[in-house]
Amino acid sequence: MKKHSVVIVDDHLLFAQSLQGLVNAFDEFEVLYHVKNGSELIKKLLESENVPDIILLDINMPVMNGFETMEWIKENRPSIQVLALSMDDHEETIIKMLRLGAKGYLLKDIHPESFYKALNEVISNGIYYSERVATTLLNSLHGNDEKDSNSGKQLKDTELTFLKLACTEMTYKEIAQEMCLSPKTIDGYREALFKHFKVKSRIGLVLYAIRNNLVNSK
Amino acid sequence: MKKHSVVIVDDHLLFAQSLQGLVNAFDEFEVLYHVKNGSELIKKLLESENVPDIILLDINMPVMNGFETMEWIKENRPSIQVLALSMDDHEETIIKMLRLGAKGYLLKDIHPESFYKALNEVISNGIYYSERVATTLLNSLHGNDEKDSNSGKQLKDTELTFLKLACTEMTYKEIAQEMCLSPKTIDGYREALFKHFKVKSRIGLVLYAIRNNLVNSK
DNA sequence: TCTGTTAAGGGGAAAAATCCCCTTTTTTTA
DNA sequence: TAAAAAAAGGGGATTTTTCCCCTTAACAGA
């Protein structure tokens, strides 16, 4: 029987290498190669006819992150099953990734046996959720989450731009200039986001944005 | 020849498990066990006479993080060589960990061969630095780092307390009450930290603190 | 075409944050 | 032990931030 082929995309070489060992230890799977980021993946996919069955995709990577990479795969290699693989258990991130077309979302603290199960399920059913992810999504659906229930409506471009600049030492006046809008309009965005995220101050906004990976904090 | 024994402390089970496979593949090393956090490590160390040669210690963990764990090891099992193992390449974090007694600092994007080298070096020389860590430390010594050159003088307890509360939606007035100090004193801390970190606003302070892991952002 | 919605922006005031210069009391240290 | 440095706190002014209520124009759906 032909083994299912897996590609690993993760900037943590040590992790990628170790994970490769783990996957290769499973009878049904084998790792074709692993790469450090989205750009490298695309290069490899373009230059090789050997299309993998599964891509294990990290989200936080330098150069080209998981979201951008996922978009490219969806556009150009829609037949590949993508499992997102991240330490980030924030709802915004999970939903964003699944919306982009990931077939499952694994947290890096997953137990190796569940990982094996995930690989198999994504091959047979085309979908897998880890338990904690499922719980998070359920909470979201039922609105049981104080802070995270806002993830439904996604931010408009202009709001996101504002948010990014708000996570900066700029004053609102400077942000307004940067965005070529009136300070009053900026104030409107501010108020909208405060309500949306249920925060009380710009500090709260920054913390929320960082915790939910809406801006890259580092 | 007896193999050198290794213990892995990391909350990412998948990583820990994979890494265990990698380490066991080296002739000279074998993994005794791996645990999810500092508390579990201590429990294991206390109930077993089998003292490991090397501990691979993650820093960001729930329950009991790498810093606290390192302190305990230094106090109670000083003969064990500890290699910190983190994704975090910020100077503050590296220096803090090395000050606490870690014998080396590995970044998780390290190449597996360097990892093997690190294990060997820490056994033979009792010390190892990955290249990027060494570079960071050199920059620090030569003061070539705009923002990070302040890592030398470390914060006083009271300043750190203030900083943590500043990374919160509390107003300064509330922080003052919480710390049982006059708002004016708090204002003094604020100004001192602004100068120390070369930031212009409370937002800047929060960003700096998060980026340098002075507070735990998540 | 009427109507509801949304983006953009204004007025104005209260509350926080920022800044600079100063006093008093401890604590260090030369 | 006298001088220096550090810690706690005050006065007061200027900006920024935050809030609430209102107007106008564009636009989409029934």
Side-chain angles (χ1 to χ4, degrees):
Chain A
M1 186 194 81
K2 192 180 161 294
K3 293 186 177 189
H4 300 296
S5 55
V6 177
V7 163
I8 298 170
V9 188
D10 200 308
D11 60 314
H12 298 121
L13 287 181
L14 195 54
F15 178 65
Q17 177 84 22
S18 309
L19 189 62
Q20 173 163 349
L22 188 66
V23 173
N24 282 335
F26 301 145
D27 280 344
E28 302 91 329
F29 301 93
E30 70 179 340
V31 174
L32 285 182
Y33 50 83
H34 63 83
V35 291
K36 282 206 300 290
N37 55 56
S39 317
E40 288 193 11
L41 173 71
I42 292 175
K43 218 166 65 185
K44 284 289 250 180
L45 287 178
L46 288 177
E47 76 190 14
S48 154
E49 292 111 52
N50 203 346
V51 179
D53 299 311
I54 298 178
I55 291 177
L56 295 173
L57 182 60
D58 187 26
I59 295 182
N60 296 307
M61 294 178 293
V63 183
M64 183 169 182
N65 69 32
F67 300 120
E68 298 163 327
T69 309
M70 187 66 237
E71 278 174 344
W72 188 93
I73 298 171
K74 200 70 204 158
E75 279 290 314
N76 300 278
R77 294 288 186 281
S79 68
I80 305 177
Q81 311 289 63
V82 179
L83 281 172
L85 187 55
S86 173
M87 316 192 314
D88 184 348
D89 66 349
H90 288 100
E91 200 185 309
E92 300 255 4
T93 313
I94 297 175
I95 289 186
K96 191 168 170 186
M97 206 61 198
L98 295 178
R99 277 230 178 83
L100 288 175
K103 294 301 169 50
Y105 195 108
L106 309 176
L107 296 163
K108 282 190 180 170
D109 60 0
I110 188 179
H111 193 282
E113 282 176 24
S114 307
F115 174 63
Y116 178 61
K117 196 174 146 205
L119 289 178
N120 277 305
E121 282 200 22
V122 88
I123 286 293
S124 53
N125 307 329
I127 197 146
Y128 173 84
Y129 293 116
S130 78
E131 211 171 299
R132 235 167 83 214
V133 169
T135 308
T136 305
L137 290 180
L138 274 182
N139 277 339
S140 151
L141 278 177
H142 296 152
N144 289 339
D145 241 9
E146 337 76 81
K147 287 240 174 181
D148 287 345
S149 56
N150 14 41
S151 341
K153 335 139 209 175
Q154 51 194 345
L155 299 186
K156 281 159 287 187
D157 274 0
T158 159
E159 281 179 328
L160 194 59
T161 305
F162 164 74
L163 185 56
K164 280 182 179 162
L165 293 174
C167 295
T168 274
E169 287 200 87
M170 289 169 118
T171 66
Y172 290 135
K173 203 191 294 182
E174 291 167 335
I175 293 176
Q177 283 180 345
E178 179 75 23
M179 292 180 70
C180 299
L181 289 169
S182 147
K184 274 299 176 179
T185 304
I186 293 302
D187 193 49
Y189 291 162
R190 181 194 57 76
E191 248 183 296
L193 289 184
F194 273 31
K195 280 192 185 126
H196 188 181
F197 294 143
K198 297 189 180 63
V199 298
K200 291 192 220 357
S201 67
R202 183 168 167 186
I203 299 289
L205 199 59
V206 170
L207 293 174
Y208 184 90
I210 289 179
R211 285 199 245 270
N212 292 86
N213 260 52
L214 299 177
V215 302
N216 35 14
S217 63
K218 316 218 166 179
Chain B
M1 187 194 80
K2 191 181 161 296
K3 293 187 177 190
H4 300 295
S5 55
V6 177
V7 164
I8 298 170
V9 188
D10 199 309
D11 58 315
H12 298 120
L13 287 181
L14 195 55
F15 177 66
Q17 177 85 18
S18 308
L19 188 63
Q20 173 163 348
L22 187 68
V23 172
N24 282 335
F26 301 146
D27 280 345
E28 302 91 330
F29 300 93
E30 68 179 342
V31 175
L32 285 183
Y33 51 81
H34 62 84
V35 291
K36 282 206 301 292
N37 55 56
S39 316
E40 289 193 10
L41 173 71
I42 292 174
K43 217 166 67 186
K44 285 288 252 180
L45 288 178
L46 288 177
E47 74 190 16
S48 152
E49 291 111 52
N50 203 346
V51 178
D53 299 313
I54 298 177
I55 290 178
L56 295 173
L57 182 60
D58 187 26
I59 295 182
N60 296 307
M61 295 178 293
V63 185
M64 184 170 180
N65 68 33
F67 299 121
E68 297 163 328
T69 311
M70 186 68 237
E71 278 175 344
W72 188 92
I73 297 171
K74 200 69 203 159
E75 279 291 315
N76 301 277
R77 293 288 185 281
S79 69
I80 305 178
Q81 310 289 65
V82 178
L83 281 172
L85 187 55
S86 172
M87 317 192 315
D88 183 349
D89 66 349
H90 287 98
E91 199 185 309
E92 300 255 5
T93 314
I94 297 175
I95 290 185
K96 190 167 170 187
M97 205 62 198
L98 295 178
R99 277 230 179 84
L100 287 175
K103 293 301 170 49
Y105 195 107
L106 308 177
L107 296 162
K108 282 189 180 171
D109 59 0
I110 188 179
H111 192 283
E113 282 177 23
S114 306
F115 174 63
Y116 179 59
K117 197 173 145 205
L119 289 178
N120 276 305
E121 281 199 24
V122 86
I123 286 293
S124 54
N125 308 329
I127 198 148
Y128 174 85
Y129 294 116
S130 78
E131 212 171 301
R132 233 166 85 216
V133 168
T135 308
T136 305
L137 290 180
L138 275 181
N139 278 338
S140 148
L141 278 176
H142 296 310
N144 288 341
D145 244 7
E146 338 76 82
K147 287 238 174 181
D148 287 345
S149 57
N150 13 41
S151 344
K153 335 140 208 175
Q154 52 196 343
L155 300 185
K156 281 158 286 185
D157 273 1
T158 160
E159 281 179 328
L160 195 59
T161 305
F162 164 73
L163 185 57
K164 281 181 179 162
L165 294 174
C167 295
T168 276
E169 287 199 270
M170 288 170 119
T171 68
Y172 289 135
K173 204 191 292 183
E174 290 168 334
I175 294 175
Q177 283 180 345
E178 178 74 25
M179 293 180 68
C180 300
L181 288 170
S182 148
K184 276 297 177 182
T185 304
I186 292 301
D187 194 50
Y189 291 161
R190 181 193 58 76
E191 247 181 296
L193 288 185
F194 274 28
K195 282 194 184 126
H196 187 181
F197 294 144
K198 299 188 180 65
V199 298
K200 292 192 220 353
S201 67
R202 184 168 165 184
I203 299 289
L205 199 61
V206 170
L207 292 173
Y208 184 91
I210 288 179
R211 286 200 242 272
N212 293 300
N213 258 51
L214 299 177
V215 302
N216 36 13
S217 62
K218 315 217 166 181

